[in-house]
Amino acid sequence: MTDLKKSFLNSEQLKILRDQDWPEHSKVIGYSAGIEGTTWFLELIDAGDFNRVKKSLKTLVKTSETPNPFFEAAFLEPAITNLGMDQIGLLCLSEITGDHRELKFFAPAAIEHTGWRRTKVLRIWSHPFAPISTPLMCKKEFAHTLHELMNCIEAASDQYGQAIMFEQLPKHSKFSKNLFEQPRFSDRLLRFAASNRAGVDGLNAMQCAVTQITGKRKQRLRRAQERLQSFGKLTFENVSRHRMILQSLEEHLSLEDTGWKSRKGTSILKNNATAIMVRSLVSNLSTDGKCEIHALRLNDTMIASMILIHTQGHYFPWKIAYDESYAKYSAGNVLLAHVNEILSKKSDFKLLDSLASDLNDTAKRFWPDQMEVSSMVIGLGPDATRNALKVSSDLELVTKLKKSLKKKLGRSL
């Protein structure tokens, strides 16, 4: 336990914390004395202690205001193990009341040097396999939890980073909107690098996305399906049972490995650690009932496939693959149209985030709502305002250069 915790907690509280199944050692970012004898700690816990955080995280997942399946243990643990065990920590805000500790806020984070000036920041961990940085935050007494989080941030030094940085943060999330609107953070919080990606917000919008397809598009999709049927038996498949998902996953990976990603060297099977990670997280998610695989089969052979991740009515078309020999017959589009029809009939549907680049025209056609995402920095330490400006200006320039390069290449990097 850090000296900061020792100095802030009395002997009885120290005994309680030692008796609990919670990591004893952590980097304390900030702390706050709450009401009625409560204490709040914002800590960065070593990823090696993940198992000791799992139980509290599982509870928080069930009560989180905005779901993020990529920050749940089923997805996150394999990702950390195979992509960044040495770099990633667990950013946790806990409320301690008497002999009880409750996890109120959670996000994986890395201490990194970023931008042209290599400024040290605490970056909420988003990456190509998980391009969302929305933290898990308890919906019960949300405003009070946000208040205490801000207290901890205001009390923080810049020892572990001059700013907390979020990339790919959806602006529609309650966390993003409420934090940005806080007057007390107006001098240390900046948004930048805004972009839009395709999505669908609400069941009515999903039903409209299906029913309002123009006559020409509907005709093209019908003609594409008929041309595919001329080659043999065409069937749609939706796999949700754990054992069958594992079988379909191997077909999906093999299908992806026959296309342009394989030629570029970026298909999942080209990297052993990535393949292990994907197999593990898909297995975990399907065990929890949060993953399914949709496929289009021609004569029982998979020619298009989508891995769909979902939690609490939020759906994410995570990975899509198709047989390039049927590209001119729009096999992928036929599958996407079918998946949309299925989602339009799900009573729990709340939102679909395509996770796609803002240059992905196919995603825009099938999921017409524009969902704004951006980067956000919160300055830390005595020079919080200057630190926020420095980090945001550096990264905004980098983002603009990347976006320009994407347009020149005609595809997402």
Side-chain angles (χ1 to χ4, degrees):
M1 186 168 296
T2 64
D3 291 338
L4 182 58
K5 282 186 189 175
K6 288 179 180 179
S7 65
F8 197 71
L9 300 177
N10 60 41
S11 59
E12 185 61 28
Q13 287 174 314
L14 281 171
K15 180 179 182 298
I16 290 166
L17 291 181
R18 289 193 188 102
D19 289 345
Q20 290 181 334
D21 186 21
W22 188 260
E24 185 176 351
H25 299 285
S26 66
K27 297 179 177 69
V28 178
I29 308 300
Y31 61 87
S32 171
I35 59 175
E36 299 179 356
T38 62
T39 307
W40 294 73
F41 277 103
L42 183 63
E43 310 166 75
L44 188 65
I45 295 169
D46 189 274
D49 284 322
F50 201 115
N51 282 334
R52 301 186 70 179
V53 178
K54 267 187 180 180
K55 184 177 179 180
S56 296
L57 177 57
K58 186 176 181 179
T59 300
L60 179 59
V61 165
K62 294 177 181 177
T63 61
S64 181
E65 176 62 41
T66 304
N68 185 348
F70 307 113
F71 287 177
E72 295 182 22
F75 189 105
L76 184 58
E77 194 167 19
I80 289 176
T81 301
N82 292 283
L83 297 183
M85 175 59 89
D86 321 348
Q87 308 159 358
I88 308 305
L90 312 172
L91 188 63
C92 301
L93 176 70
S94 301
E95 179 186 21
I96 301 166
T97 307
D99 61 352
H100 178 68
R101 173 193 284 271
E102 185 174 357
L103 183 63
K104 294 284 195 173
F105 169 102
F106 174 88
I111 297 174
E112 296 181 356
H113 291 83
T114 190
W116 299 114
R117 286 174 276 200
R118 310 307 296 161
T119 305
K120 186 163 74 169
V121 299
L122 194 60
R123 184 177 75 85
I124 304 303
W125 194 46
S126 58
H127 52 88
F129 290 95
I132 300 178
S133 63
T134 307
L136 298 175
M137 190 163 170
C138 186
K139 71 170 65 174
K140 183 182 178 182
E141 298 180 339
F142 179 89
H144 180 59
T145 299
L146 187 67
H147 174 79
E148 294 295 349
L149 174 65
M150 290 190 293
N151 285 345
C152 289
I153 290 174
E154 287 179 332
S157 72
D158 56 7
Q159 177 182 1
Y160 302 114
Q162 294 182 9
I164 298 176
M165 181 176 72
F166 298 80
E167 295 176 303
Q168 299 292 311
L169 180 64
K171 294 178 74 173
H172 67 262
S173 72
K174 188 173 180 179
F175 169 77
S176 176
K177 288 192 295 186
N178 280 257
L179 192 60
F180 189 74
E181 292 169 358
Q182 297 297 321
R184 61 190 279 201
F185 263 29
S186 61
D187 63 339
R188 68 167 71 215
L189 188 153
L190 292 169
R191 278 180 177 161
F192 62 98
S195 63
N196 291 302
R197 66 185 179 207
V200 180
D201 189 359
L203 180 59
N204 287 338
M206 175 55 77
Q207 291 170 344
C208 287
V210 172
T211 59
Q212 293 183 0
I213 295 177
T214 64
K216 287 185 178 180
R217 275 193 64 207
K218 190 179 294 185
Q219 188 178 35
R220 284 197 298 269
L221 286 169
R222 185 172 61 250
R223 188 181 299 121
Q225 187 167 335
E226 290 172 352
R227 293 173 71 187
L228 287 169
Q229 287 172 329
S230 69
F231 293 101
K233 182 182 178 182
L234 192 69
T235 55
F236 293 99
E237 178 181 76
N238 179 13
V239 177
S240 56
R241 293 175 60 186
H242 177 71
R243 182 175 61 83
M244 297 300 294
I245 278 183
L246 298 185
Q247 294 178 9
S248 293
L249 174 63
E250 293 306 316
E251 290 183 87
H252 174 96
L253 297 178
S254 297
L255 182 60
E256 183 196 63
D257 201 42
T258 64
W260 67 268
K261 287 187 178 181
S262 178
R263 296 189 295 274
K264 192 179 176 183
T266 59
S267 64
I268 290 169
L269 290 180
K270 287 289 186 285
N271 185 297
N272 189 51
T274 300
I276 292 172
M277 175 195 74
V278 169
R279 289 181 175 118
S280 179
L281 65 86
V282 167
S283 177
N284 292 345
L285 288 167
S286 64
T287 299
D288 292 344
K290 295 182 177 181
C291 177
E292 54 196 56
I293 296 181
H294 295 264
L296 179 63
R297 292 185 177 276
L298 182 60
N299 296 325
D300 294 328
T301 299
M302 181 183 287
I303 62 171
S305 174
M306 173 196 289
I307 302 175
L308 186 69
I309 294 173
H310 55 90
T311 182
Q312 300 178 52
H314 290 233
Y315 289 81
F316 305 87
W318 187 58
K319 292 293 174 184
I320 300 173
Y322 62 92
D323 188 332
E324 291 184 358
S325 61
Y326 294 99
K328 65 180 179 180
Y329 305 108
S330 302
N333 286 351
V334 170
L335 177 63
L336 290 179
H338 180 73
V339 172
N340 270 7
E341 287 187 15
I342 291 175
L343 294 178
S344 71
K345 298 171 185 175
K346 287 186 177 288
S347 59
D348 74 330
F349 183 93
K350 294 178 182 177
L351 180 139
L352 180 144
D353 185 337
S354 70
L355 308 177
S357 159
D358 57 355
L359 300 177
N360 191 319
D361 291 332
T362 299
K364 292 176 183 177
R365 285 196 297 272
F366 281 93
W367 303 304
D369 291 350
Q370 292 294 298
M371 302 176 61
E372 191 171 359
V373 297
S374 67
S375 294
M376 183 171 76
V377 292
I378 306 170
L380 299 177
D383 294 320
T385 300
R386 184 178 64 84
N387 289 340
L389 286 167
K390 181 170 62 175
V391 173
S392 62
S393 60
D394 273 7
L395 292 174
E396 188 162 27
L397 180 57
V398 172
T399 302
K400 285 180 179 177
L401 290 172
K402 283 184 177 180
K403 194 168 184 178
S404 175
L405 187 56
K406 285 180 183 181
K407 288 181 178 179
K408 289 179 180 179
L409 293 177
R411 67 169 54 150
S412 177
L413 293 178

